[in-house]
């Protein structure tokens, strides 16, 4: 049996006599008529992120000629007051750890509920019986809203019945004759008026900033630069810069204000805490999650000590933490945190409040993300009743809840019901915001995804083309949202085997990514697009282009997202398969080895690990290393058995003959 015990994984079979060079693959591709493209540049090419984007985006000229297509540590008030603790200390002291592992285990769909921390009694009791909130002596319940308001008794199935499977009219996806959407003629008077308005707004902005700076100089001259009044004005200036999306300047103002507040008033004073929260939100906008987590944890510890666990401002911080963990792909932790937030919101506002509804809505979505679709569906059905009671049937908030419900239903595989719910959401958005609004586009995006899941790619192309036109109108030609619309359209073309159209759309997206400022969102979107380009080229047997796309995806992810992730392992696995198909078994094994090491550190030895290991066995078998290949097949079989796969599982059915044929 192969020994995987060492870390990193050390396989003795990687050095084998079948290590052909890439030149064989290049020659094969040239003979097949595929154009050759440049190989990956050295590491020093990526010292600047923008340089990486320019390289990865493969500029439009190349496309046309291609044949194939910190926050500072604040001082203490005096020597007796300790400096700001580390985030780890605050996590420990504020009991934020709240036995995360035990809570995570209880989120499992096999359990009826998630237990709550003793500091927030009654928060989770309402989720144990399938409905959103069951009867409780201490709390009012959302389930009882039907007694208080006749609107809430509306049957949910009746609410969504207007949008049936064959009711395509509700989607309003009639296409214009060209890609640009309807043309609007702008007169000279209109342009003059717009220019004058923009100039007036710019002048007003400059005057406000001058006024703030004048007040700041006056306060410093009267009271000194470390006075509380100076800090208050710095907060105002920071808010001004934040509204102008000048986040670096805003953060500098907040840091200086925090230093003054902490030295004059103390770290635990409300203005110091509020400033930390402001800085945390800015760090989120700057994609600096770790710094944001530190600041939110510090503020949470202090607010909790001052105001108690059930205060709504404490709940706000629990909610902020949940948003970060959810964005980082940790829905189990986010679920625990948003439930803590819900406890304070319910106590402060009661059940009939939009903030409470939003929190319960997020809980329902998070249940879907952790795989408990039954509980998610039950909660969403109650949430719609609450939205109808609070907002009415024709309201963006109701439409938003319907859209999230449809997303959860799609995740759970209930495509028929998901389609009806999303169509109802779309119709509501059209009534409230207009058919060319970005809200309508969001609903259409979900509808397009459902069409692809239902193998109705032709309908999804119509939908995604409509989305592209809306986003161009709302954001302009070169916005990231437009790039993502191109990618979605490309994927739809790929599903219909329209590979050249798919590549064209995805390349257009890469051009847009190259024109935008480097952010984590942009980098992640670009990596996903490179992966889709690689898969598309693989579908038309253009191995050179496919391998290059996967290599670029891997470089982007390692350089800017993280050295170890399942996405990198997946790209390596696909790259290895292409090498194996072209009889480059040595290079295939190298890619497989790295993929196994990454999966072993991230997902563990589950199905994905086993799939790579099976391909390792096939590659070794092709090299004539039968003994080693049998070890790989045996280990694959063992993982399948441990995972509880049935005998008709595709991987198990492939692996069994490989093992028994030698035995």
């Amino acid at each position: 049996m192969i020994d995987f015990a060492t870390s990193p994984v050390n396989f003795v079979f990687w050095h084998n006599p079948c290590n052909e060079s890439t030149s064989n693959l290049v020659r094969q591709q040239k003979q097949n008529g595929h154009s050759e493209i440049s190989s990956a540049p050295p590491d020093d090419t990526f010292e600047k992120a923008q340089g990486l984007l320019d390289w990865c985006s493969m500029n439009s000229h190349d496309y046309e000629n291609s044949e194939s297509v910190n926050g500072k540590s604040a001082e203490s008030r005096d020597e007796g007051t300790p400096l700001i603790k580390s985030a780890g200390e605050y996590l420990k002291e504020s009991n934020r750890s709240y036995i995360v592992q035990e809570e995570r285990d209880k989120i499992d769909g096999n359990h009826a509920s998630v237990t709550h921390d003793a500091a927030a009694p009654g928060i989770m009791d309402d989720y144990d019986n399938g409905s959103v909130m069951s009867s409780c002596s201490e709390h009012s319940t959302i389930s009882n809203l039907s007694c208080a308001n006749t609107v809430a008794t509306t049957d949910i199935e009746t609410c969504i019945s207007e949008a049936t499977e064959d009711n395509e009219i509700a989607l309003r996806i009639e296409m214009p004759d060209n890609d640009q959407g309807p043309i609007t003629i702008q007169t000279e008077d209109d342009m003059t008026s717009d220019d004058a308005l923009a100039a007036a707004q710019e002048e007003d902005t400059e005057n406000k900033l001058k006024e703030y700076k004048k007040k700041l100089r006056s306060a410093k001259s009267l009271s000194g630069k470390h006075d509380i009044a100076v800090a208050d004005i710095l907060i105002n200036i920071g808010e001004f810069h934040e509204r102008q999306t000048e986040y670096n300047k805003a953060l500098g103002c907040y840091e200086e204000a925090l230093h003054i507040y902490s030295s004059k008033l103390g770290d635990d004073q409300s203005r110091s805490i509020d400033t930390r929260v402001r800085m945390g939100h800015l760090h989120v906008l700057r994609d600096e999650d770790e710094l944001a987590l530190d600041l939110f944890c510090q503020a949470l510890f202090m607010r909790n000590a001052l105001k108690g666990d059930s205060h709504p401002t404490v709940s706000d911080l629990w909610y902020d933490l949940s948003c970060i963990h959810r964005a980082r792909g940790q829905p189990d932790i986010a679920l625990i945190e948003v439930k803590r937030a819900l406890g304070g919101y319910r106590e402060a506002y009661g059940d009939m409040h939009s903030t409470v509804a939003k929190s319960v809505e997020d809980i329902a979505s998070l249940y879907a993300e952790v795989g408990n679709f039954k509980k998610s569906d039950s909660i969403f059905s109650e949430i719609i009743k609450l939205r109808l009671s609070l907002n009415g049937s024709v309201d963006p908030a109701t439409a938003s809840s319907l859209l999230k419900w449809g997303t959860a239903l799609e995740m759970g595989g209930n495509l028929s019901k998901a389609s009806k719910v999303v169509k109802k959401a779309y119709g509501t958005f059209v009534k409230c915001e207009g058919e060319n609004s970005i809200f309508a586009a969001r609903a259409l995006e979900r509808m397009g995804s459902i069409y692809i899941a239902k193998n109705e790619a032709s309908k999804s192309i119509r939908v995604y083309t409509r989305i592209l036109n809306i986003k161009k109108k709302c954001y302009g030609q070169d916005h990231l949202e437009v790039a993502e619309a191109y990618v979605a359209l490309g994927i739809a073309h790929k599903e219909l085997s329209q590979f050249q159209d798919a590549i064209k759309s995805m390349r257009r997206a890469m051009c847009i990514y190259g024109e935008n400022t480097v952010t984590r969102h942009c980098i992640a979107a670009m990596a996903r697009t490179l992966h889709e380009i690689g898969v598309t080229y693989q579908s038309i047997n253009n191995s050179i282009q496919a391998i290059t796309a996967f290599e670029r995806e891997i470089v982007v992810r390692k350089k800017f997202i993280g050295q170890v992730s399942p996405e990198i392992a997946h790209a390596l696995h696909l790259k290895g398969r292409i090498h194996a198909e072209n009889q480059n078994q040595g290079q295939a094994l190298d890619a497989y080895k790295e993929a196994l090491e990454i999966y072993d550190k991230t997902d563990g030895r589950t199905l994905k690990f086993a799939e790579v290991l099976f391909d390792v066995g096939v590659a070794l078998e092709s090299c004539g290393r039968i003994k080693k290949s049998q070890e790989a097949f045996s280990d694959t079989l063992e993982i399948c058995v441990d995972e509880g796969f049935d005998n008709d599982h595709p991987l198990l059915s492939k692996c069994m003959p490989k093992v028994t044929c030698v035995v």
Side-chain angles (χ1 to χ4, degrees):
M1 187 167 182
I2 298 175
D3 180 16
F4 296 108
T6 58
S7 181
V9 182
N10 183 21
F11 301 102
V12 296
F13 49 61
W14 299 121
H15 304 289
N16 60 78
C18 301
N19 190 15
E20 296 89 356
S21 66
T22 314
S23 59
N24 294 334
L25 177 59
V26 174
R27 277 196 298 273
Q28 294 167 14
Q29 294 302 318
K30 285 184 176 179
Q31 292 170 1
N32 293 334
H34 295 303
S35 59
E36 183 177 353
I37 61 177
S38 60
S39 59
D43 288 342
D44 56 9
T45 306
F46 300 102
E47 290 303 316
K48 294 184 178 180
Q50 192 61 54
L52 171 73
L53 279 171
D54 294 339
W55 174 67
C56 287
S57 64
M58 298 184 285
N59 61 51
S60 56
H61 176 73
D62 293 336
Y63 288 160
E64 295 299 328
N65 292 290
S66 175
E67 293 179 281
S68 313
V69 179
N70 282 307
K72 300 177 182 178
S73 176
E75 296 180 2
S76 60
R77 178 170 31 184
D78 53 49
E79 295 182 359
T81 305
L83 293 172
I84 299 300
K85 300 183 180 69
S86 68
E89 293 177 282
Y90 277 105
L91 287 174
K92 182 177 179 181
E93 293 183 24
S94 64
N95 199 28
R96 182 174 170 264
S97 58
Y98 41 74
I99 321 177
V100 169
Q101 187 57 50
E102 292 182 11
E103 295 281 10
R104 185 183 288 117
D105 292 340
K106 293 173 184 176
I107 291 173
D108 194 309
N110 296 326
H111 294 74
S113 65
V114 177
T115 58
H116 57 278
D117 190 53
I123 297 174
M124 300 322 309
D125 294 343
D126 306 317
Y127 293 89
D128 293 341
N129 296 319
S131 63
V132 183
M133 295 185 180
S134 59
S135 298
C136 176
S137 59
E138 297 179 5
H139 299 280
S140 60
T141 66
I142 291 179
S143 297
N144 291 335
L145 291 175
S146 57
C147 300
N149 194 313
T150 56
V151 180
T153 62
T154 303
D155 181 19
I156 302 302
E157 294 298 329
T158 303
C159 174
I160 65 175
S161 63
E162 298 173 19
T164 59
E165 284 296 319
D166 55 355
N167 185 12
E168 296 299 332
I169 298 176
L171 283 175
R172 297 175 181 268
I173 54 176
E174 297 82 1
M175 300 306 308
D177 293 334
N178 57 66
D179 188 24
Q180 304 299 324
I183 299 175
T184 302
I185 305 297
Q186 191 174 30
T187 65
E188 186 175 347
D189 290 341
D190 292 334
M191 290 186 286
T192 303
S193 176
D194 291 343
D195 292 342
L197 179 61
Q201 290 175 341
E202 184 176 353
E203 183 179 357
D204 185 50
T205 298
E206 291 177 358
N207 290 336
K208 285 183 180 179
L209 184 58
K210 289 179 181 179
E211 183 181 348
Y212 282 134
K213 289 181 177 180
K214 183 178 179 181
K215 289 181 179 179
L216 182 63
R217 288 193 297 268
S218 176
K220 285 182 177 180
S221 63
L222 289 175
S223 309
K225 62 181 180 179
H226 297 298
D227 190 73
I228 300 299
V230 172
D232 292 340
I233 297 172
L234 284 169
I235 292 294
N236 292 332
I237 296 175
E239 290 175 338
F240 172 84
H241 286 306
E242 188 173 350
R243 287 192 296 271
Q244 304 300 314
T245 67
E246 298 170 343
Y247 299 136
N248 287 335
K249 293 180 180 179
L251 189 59
C253 292
Y254 292 154
E255 286 175 343
E256 189 175 349
L258 177 61
H259 181 78
I260 297 172
Y261 287 144
S262 296
S263 60
K264 293 289 186 179
L265 303 175
D267 290 329
D268 57 353
Q269 202 271 344
S270 60
R271 278 187 275 195
S272 299
I273 298 171
D274 293 344
T275 305
R276 279 192 175 82
V277 175
R278 294 177 189 275
M279 291 169 61
H281 290 147
L282 274 182
H283 282 304
V284 170
L285 293 172
R286 286 158 52 97
D287 294 327
E288 297 166 347
D289 289 349
E290 288 299 329
L291 295 174
L293 282 172
D294 284 348
L295 289 162
F296 287 150
C297 287
Q298 293 168 11
L300 176 64
F301 176 76
M302 296 172 187
R303 275 188 181 170
N304 188 69
L306 289 174
K307 300 183 178 181
D309 189 60
S310 60
H311 196 276
T313 59
V314 175
S315 293
D316 290 341
L317 286 167
W318 280 116
Y319 191 85
D320 289 335
L321 290 170
S322 75
C323 291
I324 293 177
H325 284 121
R326 187 176 185 180
R328 297 174 74 170
Q330 297 171 305
D332 49 352
I333 297 177
L335 181 56
I336 298 168
E337 290 166 338
V338 75
K339 286 178 176 180
R340 296 290 296 269
L342 176 62
Y345 289 145
R346 289 182 64 197
E347 188 165 328
Y349 306 130
D351 289 339
M352 295 289 292
H353 193 276
S354 59
T355 303
V356 173
K358 177 69 170 60
S359 300
V360 179
E361 189 176 272
D362 287 338
I363 289 172
S365 295
L366 286 165
Y367 267 124
E369 290 180 29
V370 300
N372 195 336
F373 301 111
K374 183 177 180 180
K375 188 174 286 290
S376 172
D377 190 46
S378 175
I379 296 174
F380 265 122
S381 65
E382 296 292 327
I383 275 294
I384 298 303
K385 293 179 183 178
L386 177 59
R387 285 296 187 192
L388 291 170
S389 175
L390 291 175
N391 307 103
S393 60
V394 184
D395 187 85
T398 303
S400 178
S401 296
L402 285 166
L403 184 57
K404 291 177 181 178
W405 188 13
T407 302
L409 289 167
E410 183 192 357
M411 291 173 64
N414 192 345
L415 300 180
S416 177
K417 187 175 180 180
S419 178
K420 294 178 182 179
V421 172
V422 172
K423 286 178 180 179
K424 180 62 180 179
Y426 173 78
T428 306
F429 277 133
V430 168
K431 292 177 182 178
C432 299
E433 307 290 342
E435 62 180 9
N436 290 322
S437 68
I438 198 61
F439 300 98
R442 294 281 181 258
L444 287 173
E445 283 176 334
R446 185 53 49 199
M447 200 65 242
S449 176
I450 293 171
Y451 280 142
I452 288 180
K454 294 169 68 177
N455 296 317
E456 297 177 358
S458 59
K459 291 182 179 179
S460 70
I461 287 177
R462 293 167 57 204
V463 170
Y464 285 128
T465 306
R466 173 64 178 154
I467 293 166
L468 181 61
N469 291 329
I470 293 174
K471 288 189 173 182
K472 283 181 178 180
K473 182 179 293 185
C474 292
Y475 296 115
Q477 298 284 332
D478 297 321
H479 195 275
L480 289 178
E481 289 280 351
V482 175
E484 292 179 2
Y486 272 117
V487 174
L489 181 59
I491 293 172
H493 280 300
K494 184 186 70 175
E495 293 296 319
L496 280 178
S497 299
Q498 299 170 351
F499 298 116
Q500 295 302 326
D501 289 336
I503 291 170
K504 181 180 178 182
S505 292
M506 293 175 191
R507 284 176 161 179
R508 181 69 187 99
M510 291 300 296
C511 287
I512 295 174
Y513 292 138
E515 295 295 325
N516 276 269
T517 304
V518 178
T519 63
R520 187 180 62 181
H521 175 73
C522 180
I523 292 293
M526 183 173 63
R528 290 192 299 269
T529 305
L530 286 168
H531 185 86
E532 291 296 337
I533 290 173
V535 171
T536 306
Y537 274 124
Q538 188 178 13
S539 300
I540 58 176
N541 298 318
N542 190 335
S543 301
I544 287 287
Q545 296 278 21
I547 287 177
T548 302
F550 290 136
E551 286 176 343
R552 290 177 172 178
E553 177 199 356
I554 292 165
V555 170
V556 170
R557 291 190 185 278
K558 286 184 175 180
K559 198 75 177 180
F560 295 103
I561 300 177
Q563 290 289 323
V564 177
S565 72
E567 291 79 12
I568 294 175
H570 185 48
L572 286 164
H573 187 195
L574 294 179
K575 176 185 170 183
R577 280 183 171 174
I578 297 172
H579 281 304
E581 290 169 0
N582 288 275
Q583 302 306 312
N584 297 326
Q585 305 300 342
Q587 291 176 318
L589 287 171
D590 288 340
Y592 293 153
K593 174 189 175 183
E594 190 176 353
L596 286 173
E597 290 173 344
I598 293 174
Y599 277 138
D600 206 27
K601 294 176 182 177
T602 55
D603 292 346
R605 298 177 190 185
T606 56
L607 174 60
K608 293 180 180 178
F609 185 96
E611 288 175 338
V612 180
L613 193 56
F614 178 83
D615 287 343
V616 167
V618 173
L620 290 170
E621 190 177 47
S622 299
C623 293
R625 307 189 69 182
I626 304 302
K627 184 178 179 180
K628 289 295 182 183
S629 69
Q630 284 301 304
E631 291 179 4
F633 292 140
S634 297
D635 288 353
T636 303
L637 183 61
E638 184 178 333
I639 293 172
C640 291
V641 172
D642 291 342
E643 290 292 310
F645 296 155
D646 297 330
N647 289 333
D648 57 351
H649 189 278
L651 181 59
L652 194 58
S653 61
K654 287 192 302 182
C655 193
M656 285 292 291
K658 293 287 188 181
V659 176
T660 56
C661 68
V662 173
V663 175

